[in-house]
Amino acid sequence: MENKTTYTVALAGNPNVGKSTVFNALTGLRQHTGNWTGKTVSCAVGYRDIPEGSLRLVDVPGAYSLDPRSPDEAAAAEMIAGGGDIGRAEAVIVVCDACCLERCLIFALQVINTGIPTVLCINLVDEARRRGISVDTEKLSRLLGVPAVPCAARRGEGLDVLCREAVALARYAEEKPAVTEDIESVSCRAERVSRQCVRTDGNSGEREKRLDCILTGKYTAYPVMILLIAIVFFITLKGATPLSDGLQWLFTRLIFWTEAVLLNVKLPTWIVSALCDGILATMFRVVAVMLPPMAIFFPLFTLIEDVGYLPRVAYNFDDTFKRCGACGKQSLSMMMGLGCNAAGVTGCRIIDSPRERMIAILTNSFMPCNGRLPVLAAFAACLGTMIGAGDMFETVAMCLFLSMGVFATFGVSAFLSSTLLRGEASSFTLELVPYRLPKLRDVFVRSALDRTVFVLGRAVAVAAPAGLVIWTLVSCSYGGVSLMEHLTSLLDPIGKILGMDGVMLSAFVLALPAAELTVPLMLMGYSASGDVVLSSAMSTEAFAGLSAVNLLCAMIFTLFHWPCSTAVITVYKETHSVKWTLLSVLVPTGVGCALCAFVNLLFSLPLWT
Amino acid sequence: MTDGEGIFPLSALPVDGRGTVAGFLETEITPRLRELGFSRGVAVECVGRNPGGGMSAYKLRGSVIALRREDASSVILEVLPSSTEENGDGK
């Protein structure tokens, strides 16, 4: 007889033990991210049905202890130990890494001490086997008084048994009274239990030692990192371009078709134009430009993360960041910013110190995201043709500008930490996780899906309204001149100071919702027709009227200007402060204006004859 | 170094050196270190340093934790006589 009751079970454990893999394997696509009401922490909730009952799994943030040190850990503690307004789970699955069981047991024992029905998931047993580590889960279970299930989540092994145990606990087991035990005593017990249940043949950790000699070695660390970023970049750009072109081709046909259909139905031309040339064209453009690079970059990034390399990046860079008053983990949020600045800002959560986190948030937009990279590339190509440089110019220019972004990050971080965000260098710990082979297909599918949802959501929520606004500006006139032209004339004086002109500056302003719109907006501004031509392909002839300085300043401004609207909203969500959100807009804009004005001034001096 | 002598901070442990935790200086980081498994009697091995030299990687209880030099100095180690036993690491 099937049991239809749903039991809420928390999935907890140390970071990096494969908890997400367990969660994804158990819930598949039946999951969503939810915000605990009133808290800033978000968590994933998923479902799994078995004959014995239904599981509602809550993926609690990874924690080393139930002593709350951050909002994440506090929410986790509340779900497990109770005593808050989240509500206690009915049972807990504590995921442990079989390769470092002793450390994981420290957390597991704390959870058991709270009295909540607990089952241990001894994960990564396949990895442990490879390293000559074996865990006697039956003995472990006897010693601790809780069920212990060996699993290899990335192969799907052990998960059915785990579910059954969890449901059985939630259904029948009773909460025990909480036991207070200090951490020293817990550590001692963890060691004692582990010594009796874990057997090691040989020295596990050899693989890490050998790899880390190269990946964190004095002379090899930086070249390897630069090479890796270059490879990721190369694959992303080369892979994305044909896909973007393909999508653009498809969408152009879709718009023609829609236009024809709507005109056939005798809808007034201006409505059809607003819909097709404004809303649809903008939405499609944003999707065509952003989706392919994101669907490549983020899976690659997640792959690097799952392999275990990312902590090494933070490890290698820490000294440079410390000298700027920041933290090595900022390198990771910077890398995420290369994919999407909003994701980069969210990624700053990994930095423990609030002061250093703020520095990372404020400087994140110095990394050009997937939306701005094609814009930079377009300008670079134009500039290259204009000054008659060779084929390599575009690549060299991109590398140069990326380096500029990195140096600006260091410089501004140092500046912030000696002015607005003064403070001591923080203490932090970094776990250098063991190197593992992730399940490639799962990583790619899941990451690509997540990013697709994000891009499509943004297209509807942000790009569609933006498209309508742009269409209105172009199509509506006042005093015989379109609103767009009014805007361009208004911004022209400022544009000229910055080495650009009104059209360029308006394009940057109107591209606030999505940086991908910058080039089409400029093309529109320069084209004589005054039509909304967002769906046309990029042609560099339109830029023929510009000088090299114009293009150079445009490139600088692309790198250093206000973050896109999604990023700004994300900053507000992370900081809950209008002041800091405003600063996240002013800092890059200030740097951009200063640099552009300087370059403009420099090239206008009578030194160049 | 004579047997039993040699109380020193973790930050002074050379690469490939081993020691046993003898105690702590109570600082901001110490509670976190305890959660990560640093406790009296645990064997620690220094398995590497970062390129700049400001952070080192320490292996204990089967996992590797990297710490800045200032933070590592909160942990006091001692080298016990015949501390070449495989005590606690490799698990």
Side-chain angles (χ1 to χ4, degrees):
Chain A
M1 237 285 278
E2 258 192 48
N3 177 15
K4 296 274 192 239
T5 325
T6 307
Y7 304 99
T8 302
V9 173
L11 192 67
N14 285 171
N16 307 122
V17 295
K19 197 160 53 66
S20 299
T21 318
V22 173
F23 182 76
N24 290 328
L26 286 176
T27 62
L29 288 172
R30 295 181 62 199
Q31 55 166 280
H32 65 275
T33 315
N35 268 307
W36 277 315
T37 44
K39 310 269 174 192
T40 56
V41 181
S42 63
C43 65
V45 178
Y47 300 88
R48 166 97 164 200
D49 293 330
I50 58 175
E52 292 86 342
S54 289
L55 273 180
R56 179 173 165 264
L57 275 170
V58 181
D59 190 9
V60 160
Y64 289 112
S65 132
L66 286 179
D67 238 327
R69 233 166 276 281
S70 64
D72 270 14
E73 288 182 331
E78 266 185 59
M79 252 234 128
I80 296 170
D85 33 43
I86 287 180
R88 211 178 178 185
E90 292 168 76
V92 179
I93 301 175
V94 178
V95 182
C96 303
D97 180 355
C99 302
C100 58
L101 186 65
E102 193 179 330
R103 211 267 323 281
C104 294
L105 281 181
I106 296 179
F107 180 72
L109 286 173
Q110 289 183 46
V111 172
I112 297 172
N113 280 349
T114 65
I116 193 171
T118 312
V119 54
L120 299 186
C121 167
I122 313 298
N123 196 24
L124 295 161
V125 289
D126 53 338
E127 185 67 29
R129 229 174 286 143
R130 201 174 310 164
R131 290 162 184 253
I133 302 174
S134 69
V135 177
D136 185 348
T137 46
E138 281 179 23
K139 194 166 188 190
L140 183 66
S141 180
R142 248 180 299 132
L143 287 173
L144 295 181
V146 296
V149 180
C151 295
R154 57 190 179 178
R155 292 185 189 201
E157 293 170 14
L159 295 174
D160 292 321
V161 178
L162 185 65
C163 279
R164 262 179 278 143
E165 290 285 355
V167 169
L169 277 179
R171 202 170 171 180
Y172 302 118
E174 303 205 328
E175 280 177 24
K176 300 199 204 87
V179 173
T180 357
E181 191 181 0
D182 73 66
I183 191 119
E184 291 263 356
S185 164
V186 169
S187 304
C188 275
R189 268 209 297 151
E191 185 177 358
R192 258 202 325 265
V193 170
S194 173
R195 202 190 312 226
Q196 296 178 61
C197 302
V198 180
R199 290 272 159 279
T200 324
D201 334 307
N203 199 357
S204 92
E206 264 317 298
R207 188 202 296 175
E208 276 70 29
K209 234 174 171 172
R210 264 180 282 133
L211 277 172
D212 279 340
C213 260
I214 306 171
L215 298 177
T216 63
K218 202 164 176 193
Y219 303 108
T220 49
Y222 281 79
V224 168
M225 278 191 296
I226 294 174
L227 189 66
L228 191 68
I229 295 183
I231 292 176
V232 170
F233 246 90
F234 185 77
I235 297 178
T236 306
L237 289 174
K238 284 293 181 232
T241 318
L243 286 172
S244 287
D245 292 340
L247 278 175
Q248 195 69 64
W249 180 92
L250 181 69
F251 289 148
T252 316
R253 287 197 170 36
L254 249 160
I255 293 181
F256 278 152
W257 181 84
T258 316
E259 205 170 20
V261 165
L262 291 180
L263 284 175
N264 232 356
V265 187
K266 299 286 191 283
L267 270 178
T269 3
W270 71 271
I271 292 188
V272 177
S273 179
L275 201 64
C276 293
D277 298 327
I279 297 178
L280 284 181
T282 316
M283 272 176 65
F284 286 157
R285 171 129 204 138
V286 158
V287 173
V289 173
M290 270 303 244
L291 187 56
M294 277 210 170
I296 299 175
F297 179 89
F298 278 95
L300 282 177
F301 186 81
T302 313
L303 192 66
I304 298 175
E305 181 180 17
D306 287 357
V307 160
Y309 180 60
L310 283 190
R312 272 86 185 168
V313 175
Y315 182 63
N316 291 337
F317 270 119
D318 188 56
D319 291 299
T320 321
F321 278 97
K322 196 162 72 171
R323 240 173 295 162
C324 302
C327 168
K329 290 184 185 174
Q330 188 170 337
S331 60
L332 301 181
S333 62
M334 280 168 75
M335 282 178 78
M336 291 188 79
L338 277 178
C340 168
N341 287 129
V345 169
T346 317
C348 294
R349 283 187 196 166
I350 56 176
I351 301 174
D352 303 315
S353 147
R355 180 188 73 92
E356 288 169 350
R357 196 182 312 141
M358 193 59 77
I359 293 179
I361 290 177
L362 292 180
T363 55
N364 192 265
S365 68
F366 290 157
M367 288 288 103
C369 65
N370 279 157
R372 284 189 279 157
L373 283 171
V375 180
L376 262 178
F379 288 141
C382 237
L383 187 60
T385 326
M386 193 175 284
I387 64 176
D391 289 326
M392 286 303 291
F393 181 80
E394 192 180 325
T395 317
V396 171
M398 294 293 281
C399 289
L400 222 70
F401 270 79
L402 193 59
S403 317
M404 239 167 73
V406 173
F407 283 120
T409 309
F410 286 136
V412 175
S413 299
F415 176 74
L416 286 172
S417 70
S418 51
T419 51
L420 290 167
L421 287 162
R422 260 203 206 110
E424 299 280 308
S426 71
S427 304
F428 75 101
T429 61
L430 192 62
E431 187 183 350
L432 295 182
V433 300
Y435 289 113
R436 295 177 198 142
L437 265 174
K439 224 172 154 190
L440 279 163
R441 198 197 57 182
D442 280 5
V443 167
F444 270 81
V445 168
R446 185 164 297 278
S447 186
L449 267 171
D450 280 344
R451 282 293 122 190
T452 308
V453 167
F454 173 81
V455 172
L456 294 178
R458 185 168 153 265
V460 171
V462 171
L468 193 57
V469 169
I470 294 171
W471 179 88
T472 313
L473 284 174
V474 174
S475 312
C476 300
S477 310
Y478 178 74
V481 153
S482 78
L483 293 176
M484 177 70 99
E485 282 179 49
H486 278 294
L487 181 66
T488 355
S489 324
L490 189 69
L491 292 176
D492 202 61
I494 308 175
K496 288 271 171 18
I497 298 176
L498 298 176
M500 299 183 278
D501 64 17
V503 172
M504 288 180 145
L505 198 52
S506 319
F508 280 117
V509 170
L510 291 172
L512 170 69
E516 309 89 278
L517 300 173
T518 316
V519 173
L521 282 167
M522 281 190 199
L523 286 174
M524 241 166 60
Y526 288 127
S527 83
S529 64
D531 289 332
V532 185
V533 283
L534 279 170
S535 55
S536 72
M538 263 168 21
S539 68
T540 47
E541 292 93 57
F543 293 151
L546 299 170
S547 71
V549 179
N550 287 146
L551 286 170
L552 185 61
C553 289
M555 285 177 77
I556 296 174
F557 207 66
T558 307
L559 193 58
F560 301 117
H561 73 294
W562 44 84
C564 75
S565 56
T566 315
V568 174
I569 292 172
T570 312
V571 172
Y572 183 71
K573 273 199 219 156
E574 293 290 308
T575 61
H576 296 285
S577 152
V578 174
K579 167 188 166 193
W580 292 112
T581 310
L582 219 61
L583 266 168
S584 78
V585 171
L586 291 173
V587 167
T589 310
V591 172
C593 290
L595 270 174
C596 284
F598 174 72
V599 168
N600 189 28
L601 192 65
L602 192 67
F603 280 96
S604 67
L605 292 175
L607 303 167
W608 322 93
T609 37
Chain B
M1 202 145 274
T2 54
D3 55 301
E5 308 295 322
I7 305 281
F8 55 95
L10 182 61
S11 46
L13 191 63
V15 178
D16 291 332
R18 293 172 189 208
T20 316
V21 177
F24 297 91
L25 295 175
E26 287 306 321
T27 60
E28 180 194 347
I29 192 91
T30 323
R32 170 62 91 200
L33 292 178
R34 286 206 176 87
E35 288 164 12
L36 289 171
F38 284 90
S39 61
R40 227 164 309 194
V42 149
V44 180
E45 179 190 355
C46 177
V47 292
R49 242 186 261 302
N50 75 347
M55 277 190 105
S56 298
Y58 302 103
K59 186 168 179 188
L60 74 158
R61 297 190 194 265
S63 66
V64 179
I65 310 287
L67 296 173
R68 283 179 171 171
R69 181 173 299 140
E70 310 79 64
D71 298 329
S73 53
S74 311
V75 182
I76 310 298
L77 293 187
E78 59 186 352
V79 178
L80 295 176
S82 62
S83 67
T84 48
E85 298 167 44
E86 300 300 291
N87 195 359
D89 57 11
K91 276 197 193 150

